[in-house]
Amino acid sequence: MAPTSTSQTPFGRVLTAMVTPFTTDGALDLDGAQRLAAHLVDAGNDGLIVNGTTGESPTTSDAEKAQLVRAVVEAVGDRAHVVAGAGTNDTRHSVELARAAEQAGAHGLLAVTPYYSKPPQEGLLRHFTAIADATGLPVMLYDIPGRSGVPIGTETMVRLAEHPRIVANKDAKGDLGRASWAIARSRLAWYSGDDMLNLPLLSVGAVGFVSVVGHLVSPELRAMLEAHLAGDVAKATEIHQKLLPVFTGMFRTQGVITTKAALTLQGQPAGPLRLPLVELTAEETEQLKRDLAAGGVQL
């Protein structure tokens, strides 16, 4: 049973898009995944996204995805929302992944905009509706045109919000104006999917974050959010500015690469990457250390 939620915060407020730990030979590390999940929930996360892009979903098999959901639910499912990535650019495959995630015990689904195919808005509407119709789980849309090539239009968002199981959106569009209109008109629970914009998105109606830097600074993210909710703008801004070096450093290259490097430096489960992702160079690692130190992260 997932932790208690409300229509305003269906998946909690602070979620981390979790990496998928691998063993030294590149196999799925389920023990490591459970330990990392417990560490993140202990650090203050209300939920975890598994099998997302940060979880290297393009290079994990369907069987591995189901195994990972089961393992994480077993580890933390009684105290955190476990949301499983199920989106692909193939609607039929996405429906299969959604059903498998439900069977594995996931509490919700993350459905990314179909990538590469560049479907029209009607295609997006039918794609997300098919995923939402496939299970009884609540769905968080994931709007990231920088990766997918196609944004979810505001009118499409409004229409999708009419579905009883489409309850939230992870916004990585980077457009506060569009976000403002979509939040106001759709009434979806809005989650920032761009760490640099976590605080600005709260100011236009977001309810929380789906974070990558949450692997390292979840307590600070929660403190920033709580300060904002309490009306302490100065405190929220202070925390945001303190974290700027972390936001910058973690995205100097692809976020999975830096996250696994940082977790390894901290002694947390992470393991290697699967190609086409590659390890940081020695110079990049030193830069990451400097960035994280400037943001107060202990390694």
Side-chain angles (χ1 to χ4, degrees), residues 268-298:
Q268 295 294 337
L273 300 143
R274 288 182 178 175
L275 286 170
L277 301 184
V278 295
E279 314 292 336
L280 290 181
T281 65
E283 181 179 346
E284 289 170 332
T285 300
E286 291 305 312
Q287 179 64 59
L288 178 63
K289 289 178 181 178
R290 291 192 293 270
D291 290 329
L292 296 181
V297 176
Q298 299 295 316

mmCIF file of all heavy atoms in Angstrom, residues 268-298:
data_model
loop_
_atom_site.group_PDB
_atom_site.id
_atom_site.type_symbol
_atom_site.label_atom_id
_atom_site.label_comp_id
_atom_site.label_asym_id
_atom_site.label_seq_id
_atom_site.Cartn_x
_atom_site.Cartn_y
_atom_site.Cartn_z
ATOM 1 N N GLN A 268 27.784 5.011 -1.987
ATOM 2 C CA GLN A 268 26.443 4.479 -2.181
ATOM 3 C C GLN A 268 26.410 3.551 -3.398
ATOM 4 O O GLN A 268 27.247 3.653 -4.287
ATOM 5 C CB GLN A 268 25.452 5.629 -2.396
ATOM 6 C CG GLN A 268 25.291 6.543 -1.203
ATOM 7 C CD GLN A 268 24.660 5.854 -0.008
ATOM 8 O OE1 GLN A 268 23.964 4.841 -0.141
ATOM 9 N NE2 GLN A 268 24.918 6.393 1.169
ATOM 10 N N PRO A 269 25.421 2.649 -3.475
ATOM 11 C CA PRO A 269 25.319 1.745 -4.626
ATOM 12 C C PRO A 269 25.053 2.530 -5.913
ATOM 13 O O PRO A 269 24.203 3.416 -5.947
ATOM 14 C CB PRO A 269 24.121 0.860 -4.273
ATOM 15 C CG PRO A 269 23.965 0.970 -2.794
ATOM 16 C CD PRO A 269 24.405 2.357 -2.440
ATOM 17 N N ALA A 270 25.783 2.207 -6.932
ATOM 18 C CA ALA A 270 25.589 2.844 -8.242
ATOM 19 C C ALA A 270 26.101 1.920 -9.332
ATOM 20 O O ALA A 270 25.363 1.466 -10.189
ATOM 21 C CB ALA A 270 26.281 4.207 -8.312
ATOM 22 N N GLY A 271 27.415 1.651 -9.302
ATOM 23 C CA GLY A 271 27.994 0.759 -10.290
ATOM 24 C C GLY A 271 28.243 1.447 -11.611
ATOM 25 O O GLY A 271 28.121 2.673 -11.741
ATOM 26 N N PRO A 272 28.587 0.675 -12.614
ATOM 27 C CA PRO A 272 28.945 1.227 -13.919
ATOM 28 C C PRO A 272 27.722 1.673 -14.711
ATOM 29 O O PRO A 272 26.577 1.519 -14.280
ATOM 30 C CB PRO A 272 29.642 0.058 -14.608
ATOM 31 C CG PRO A 272 28.979 -1.152 -14.018
ATOM 32 C CD PRO A 272 28.719 -0.800 -12.580
ATOM 33 N N LEU A 273 27.989 2.227 -15.876
ATOM 34 C CA LEU A 273 26.959 2.654 -16.816
ATOM 35 C C LEU A 273 26.888 1.667 -17.965
ATOM 36 O O LEU A 273 27.844 0.939 -18.226
ATOM 37 C CB LEU A 273 27.293 4.043 -17.359
ATOM 38 C CG LEU A 273 27.391 5.153 -16.313
ATOM 39 C CD1 LEU A 273 28.504 6.112 -16.667
ATOM 40 C CD2 LEU A 273 26.066 5.888 -16.199
ATOM 41 N N ARG A 274 25.768 1.661 -18.648
ATOM 42 C CA ARG A 274 25.647 0.869 -19.869
ATOM 43 C C ARG A 274 25.800 1.794 -21.071
ATOM 44 O O ARG A 274 25.229 2.896 -21.093
ATOM 45 C CB ARG A 274 24.295 0.140 -19.918
ATOM 46 C CG ARG A 274 24.206 -1.013 -18.917
ATOM 47 C CD ARG A 274 22.881 -1.754 -19.020
ATOM 48 N NE ARG A 274 22.839 -2.893 -18.090
ATOM 49 C CZ ARG A 274 21.778 -3.669 -17.896
ATOM 50 N NH1 ARG A 274 20.653 -3.426 -18.565
ATOM 51 N NH2 ARG A 274 21.826 -4.682 -17.051
ATOM 52 N N LEU A 275 26.542 1.358 -22.040
ATOM 53 C CA LEU A 275 26.704 2.129 -23.260
ATOM 54 C C LEU A 275 25.337 2.393 -23.900
ATOM 55 O O LEU A 275 24.438 1.551 -23.799
ATOM 56 C CB LEU A 275 27.593 1.370 -24.246
ATOM 57 C CG LEU A 275 29.088 1.330 -23.922
ATOM 58 C CD1 LEU A 275 29.804 0.356 -24.837
ATOM 59 C CD2 LEU A 275 29.696 2.729 -24.049
ATOM 60 N N PRO A 276 25.177 3.601 -24.479
ATOM 61 C CA PRO A 276 26.211 4.538 -24.906
ATOM 62 C C PRO A 276 26.674 5.531 -23.849
ATOM 63 O O PRO A 276 27.460 6.431 -24.175
ATOM 64 C CB PRO A 276 25.539 5.273 -26.063
ATOM 65 C CG PRO A 276 24.096 5.305 -25.673
ATOM 66 C CD PRO A 276 23.839 3.989 -25.007
ATOM 67 N N LEU A 277 26.213 5.430 -22.600
ATOM 68 C CA LEU A 277 26.731 6.308 -21.556
ATOM 69 C C LEU A 277 28.120 5.834 -21.140
ATOM 70 O O LEU A 277 28.395 4.626 -21.119
ATOM 71 C CB LEU A 277 25.793 6.322 -20.359
ATOM 72 C CG LEU A 277 24.358 6.793 -20.643
ATOM 73 C CD1 LEU A 277 23.560 6.854 -19.358
ATOM 74 C CD2 LEU A 277 24.355 8.141 -21.351
ATOM 75 N N VAL A 278 28.980 6.782 -20.799
ATOM 76 C CA VAL A 278 30.367 6.466 -20.442
ATOM 77 C C VAL A 278 30.747 7.183 -19.157
ATOM 78 O O VAL A 278 30.130 8.183 -18.777
ATOM 79 C CB VAL A 278 31.346 6.864 -21.572
ATOM 80 C CG1 VAL A 278 31.099 6.024 -22.816
ATOM 81 C CG2 VAL A 278 31.226 8.348 -21.899
ATOM 82 N N GLU A 279 31.773 6.674 -18.482
ATOM 83 C CA GLU A 279 32.206 7.223 -17.205
ATOM 84 C C GLU A 279 32.807 8.621 -17.383
ATOM 85 O O GLU A 279 33.309 8.977 -18.454
ATOM 86 C CB GLU A 279 33.266 6.303 -16.568
ATOM 87 C CG GLU A 279 32.934 4.819 -16.579
ATOM 88 C CD GLU A 279 31.766 4.453 -15.689
ATOM 89 O OE1 GLU A 279 31.479 5.209 -14.731
ATOM 90 O OE2 GLU A 279 31.129 3.405 -15.938
ATOM 91 N N LEU A 280 32.779 9.397 -16.297
ATOM 92 C CA LEU A 280 33.466 10.678 -16.290
ATOM 93 C C LEU A 280 34.973 10.470 -16.455
ATOM 94 O O LEU A 280 35.533 9.481 -15.977
ATOM 95 C CB LEU A 280 33.232 11.409 -14.966
ATOM 96 C CG LEU A 280 31.843 11.961 -14.661
ATOM 97 C CD1 LEU A 280 31.859 12.657 -13.312
ATOM 98 C CD2 LEU A 280 31.357 12.896 -15.742
ATOM 99 N N THR A 281 35.626 11.404 -17.091
ATOM 100 C CA THR A 281 37.086 11.401 -17.125
ATOM 101 C C THR A 281 37.593 11.853 -15.760
ATOM 102 O O THR A 281 36.839 12.378 -14.918
ATOM 103 C CB THR A 281 37.607 12.367 -18.189
ATOM 104 O OG1 THR A 281 37.242 13.701 -17.807
ATOM 105 C CG2 THR A 281 37.033 12.043 -19.561
ATOM 106 N N ALA A 282 38.873 11.678 -15.515
ATOM 107 C CA ALA A 282 39.473 12.126 -14.251
ATOM 108 C C ALA A 282 39.292 13.630 -14.075
ATOM 109 O O ALA A 282 38.977 14.119 -12.979
ATOM 110 C CB ALA A 282 40.954 11.754 -14.220
ATOM 111 N N GLU A 283 39.460 14.382 -15.151
ATOM 112 C CA GLU A 283 39.297 15.834 -15.082
ATOM 113 C C GLU A 283 37.853 16.207 -14.772
ATOM 114 O O GLU A 283 37.594 17.108 -13.955
ATOM 115 C CB GLU A 283 39.726 16.462 -16.413
ATOM 116 C CG GLU A 283 39.620 17.975 -16.448
ATOM 117 C CD GLU A 283 40.081 18.565 -17.771
ATOM 118 O OE1 GLU A 283 40.722 17.846 -18.568
ATOM 119 O OE2 GLU A 283 39.782 19.754 -18.001
ATOM 120 N N GLU A 284 36.904 15.519 -15.402
ATOM 121 C CA GLU A 284 35.493 15.781 -15.141
ATOM 122 C C GLU A 284 35.113 15.432 -13.708
ATOM 123 O O GLU A 284 34.298 16.111 -13.077
ATOM 124 C CB GLU A 284 34.620 15.004 -16.124
ATOM 125 C CG GLU A 284 34.670 15.535 -17.551
ATOM 126 C CD GLU A 284 33.985 14.614 -18.540
ATOM 127 O OE1 GLU A 284 33.937 13.385 -18.300
ATOM 128 O OE2 GLU A 284 33.506 15.122 -19.577
ATOM 129 N N THR A 285 35.708 14.359 -13.187
ATOM 130 C CA THR A 285 35.437 13.969 -11.802
ATOM 131 C C THR A 285 35.914 15.030 -10.834
ATOM 132 O O THR A 285 35.220 15.366 -9.850
ATOM 133 C CB THR A 285 36.103 12.618 -11.489
ATOM 134 O OG1 THR A 285 35.579 11.613 -12.360
ATOM 135 C CG2 THR A 285 35.853 12.202 -10.047
ATOM 136 N N GLU A 286 37.078 15.592 -11.076
ATOM 137 C CA GLU A 286 37.598 16.647 -10.208
ATOM 138 C C GLU A 286 36.705 17.885 -10.271
ATOM 139 O O GLU A 286 36.470 18.538 -9.244
ATOM 140 C CB GLU A 286 39.037 16.992 -10.590
ATOM 141 C CG GLU A 286 40.037 15.886 -10.263
ATOM 142 C CD GLU A 286 39.995 15.465 -8.800
ATOM 143 O OE1 GLU A 286 40.014 16.373 -7.925
ATOM 144 O OE2 GLU A 286 39.892 14.256 -8.528
ATOM 145 N N GLN A 287 36.215 18.204 -11.466
ATOM 146 C CA GLN A 287 35.301 19.338 -11.594
ATOM 147 C C GLN A 287 34.006 19.083 -10.820
ATOM 148 O O GLN A 287 33.481 19.973 -10.149
ATOM 149 C CB GLN A 287 34.985 19.613 -13.066
ATOM 150 C CG GLN A 287 34.020 20.772 -13.302
ATOM 151 C CD GLN A 287 34.568 22.100 -12.849
ATOM 152 O OE1 GLN A 287 35.606 22.538 -13.328
ATOM 153 N NE2 GLN A 287 33.889 22.745 -11.898
ATOM 154 N N LEU A 288 33.491 17.864 -10.903
ATOM 155 C CA LEU A 288 32.289 17.510 -10.167
ATOM 156 C C LEU A 288 32.511 17.661 -8.665
ATOM 157 O O LEU A 288 31.656 18.201 -7.948
ATOM 158 C CB LEU A 288 31.853 16.080 -10.500
ATOM 159 C CG LEU A 288 30.620 15.562 -9.753
ATOM 160 C CD1 LEU A 288 29.385 16.388 -10.103
ATOM 161 C CD2 LEU A 288 30.376 14.086 -10.072
ATOM 162 N N LYS A 289 33.652 17.219 -8.183
ATOM 163 C CA LYS A 289 33.962 17.361 -6.759
ATOM 164 C C LYS A 289 33.955 18.827 -6.348
ATOM 165 O O LYS A 289 33.434 19.188 -5.290
ATOM 166 C CB LYS A 289 35.325 16.739 -6.448
ATOM 167 C CG LYS A 289 35.381 15.221 -6.519
ATOM 168 C CD LYS A 289 36.798 14.741 -6.229
ATOM 169 C CE LYS A 289 36.930 13.240 -6.315
ATOM 170 N NZ LYS A 289 38.333 12.793 -6.075
ATOM 171 N N ARG A 290 34.536 19.681 -7.182
ATOM 172 C CA ARG A 290 34.565 21.111 -6.861
ATOM 173 C C ARG A 290 33.158 21.700 -6.849
ATOM 174 O O ARG A 290 32.806 22.485 -5.962
ATOM 175 C CB ARG A 290 35.446 21.861 -7.870
ATOM 176 C CG ARG A 290 36.934 21.553 -7.753
ATOM 177 C CD ARG A 290 37.776 22.527 -8.557
ATOM 178 N NE ARG A 290 37.572 22.389 -10.001
ATOM 179 C CZ ARG A 290 38.281 21.577 -10.780
ATOM 180 N NH1 ARG A 290 39.225 20.790 -10.257
ATOM 181 N NH2 ARG A 290 38.061 21.531 -12.086
ATOM 182 N N ASP A 291 32.364 21.329 -7.834
ATOM 183 C CA ASP A 291 30.993 21.837 -7.904
ATOM 184 C C ASP A 291 30.191 21.416 -6.674
ATOM 185 O O ASP A 291 29.486 22.234 -6.069
ATOM 186 C CB ASP A 291 30.295 21.309 -9.161
ATOM 187 C CG ASP A 291 30.842 21.906 -10.449
ATOM 188 O OD1 ASP A 291 31.292 23.055 -10.428
ATOM 189 O OD2 ASP A 291 30.811 21.198 -11.479
ATOM 190 N N LEU A 292 30.275 20.153 -6.324
ATOM 191 C CA LEU A 292 29.500 19.659 -5.185
ATOM 192 C C LEU A 292 29.973 20.265 -3.874
ATOM 193 O O LEU A 292 29.162 20.619 -3.017
ATOM 194 C CB LEU A 292 29.561 18.128 -5.135
ATOM 195 C CG LEU A 292 28.932 17.404 -6.338
ATOM 196 C CD1 LEU A 292 29.047 15.897 -6.160
ATOM 197 C CD2 LEU A 292 27.470 17.808 -6.521
ATOM 198 N N ALA A 293 31.277 20.420 -3.741
ATOM 199 C CA ALA A 293 31.812 21.046 -2.523
ATOM 200 C C ALA A 293 31.313 22.481 -2.390
ATOM 201 O O ALA A 293 30.973 22.951 -1.293
ATOM 202 C CB ALA A 293 33.333 21.013 -2.535
ATOM 203 N N ALA A 294 31.250 23.191 -3.528
ATOM 204 C CA ALA A 294 30.776 24.573 -3.507
ATOM 205 C C ALA A 294 29.309 24.654 -3.086
ATOM 206 O O ALA A 294 28.871 25.680 -2.550
ATOM 207 C CB ALA A 294 30.948 25.212 -4.882
ATOM 208 N N GLY A 295 28.559 23.572 -3.322
ATOM 209 C CA GLY A 295 27.164 23.526 -2.923
ATOM 210 C C GLY A 295 26.936 22.861 -1.576
ATOM 211 O O GLY A 295 25.788 22.632 -1.175
ATOM 212 N N GLY A 296 28.014 22.546 -0.867
ATOM 213 C CA GLY A 296 27.909 21.997 0.476
ATOM 214 C C GLY A 296 27.701 20.495 0.553
ATOM 215 O O GLY A 296 27.381 19.975 1.633
ATOM 216 N N VAL A 297 27.908 19.782 -0.561
ATOM 217 C CA VAL A 297 27.714 18.331 -0.561
ATOM 218 C C VAL A 297 28.968 17.652 -0.045
ATOM 219 O O VAL A 297 30.076 17.923 -0.533
ATOM 220 C CB VAL A 297 27.374 17.818 -1.969
ATOM 221 C CG1 VAL A 297 27.283 16.296 -1.979
ATOM 222 C CG2 VAL A 297 26.069 18.440 -2.451
ATOM 223 N N GLN A 298 28.794 16.767 0.921
ATOM 224 C CA GLN A 298 29.913 16.019 1.477
ATOM 225 C C GLN A 298 30.142 14.746 0.667
ATOM 226 O O GLN A 298 29.208 13.996 0.409
ATOM 227 C CB GLN A 298 29.634 15.641 2.943
ATOM 228 C CG GLN A 298 29.429 16.840 3.851
ATOM 229 C CD GLN A 298 30.667 17.689 3.991
ATOM 230 O OE1 GLN A 298 31.775 17.173 4.163
ATOM 231 N NE2 GLN A 298 30.489 19.001 3.931
#
